[in-house]
Amino acid sequence: MATIVVKQIGSPIRRPAIQRQTLIGLGLNKMHKTRELEDTPAIRGMVNKIPHLVEIVEERD
């Protein structure tokens, strides 16, 4: 199963609530925190929805 490592690079302060909720859905809530998540279309969609707040650090197989 493929996974991706996602890192929070932006603050949700002064952002719409839906963007903050997307960060929480990814399991991110603090700057520079990373999470290893399953590489699914749902996760990719969440990452693509807030590209200014997160970055994909690594893709693993």
Side-chain angles (χ1 to χ4, degrees):
M1 175 175 59
T3 60
I4 58 174
V5 177
V6 179
K7 179 179 180 180
Q8 182 177 345
I9 59 169
S11 173
I13 296 172
R14 297 186 56 176
R15 304 284 182 192
I18 191 71
Q19 292 180 3
R20 189 173 302 115
Q21 292 167 355
T22 303
L23 273 175
I24 292 169
L26 289 170
L28 300 170
N29 61 356
K30 292 185 170 62
M31 292 289 292
H32 308 293
K33 186 173 179 182
T34 60
R35 284 288 310 262
E36 184 173 352
L37 302 166
E38 202 174 316
D39 191 5
T40 63
I43 297 295
R44 287 285 182 162
M46 291 169 78
V47 170
N48 290 337
K49 196 171 182 183
I50 51 171
H52 54 287
L53 298 178
V54 298
E55 71 177 359
I56 296 176
V57 178
E58 185 178 352
E59 296 184 23
R60 301 177 183 166
D61 288 328

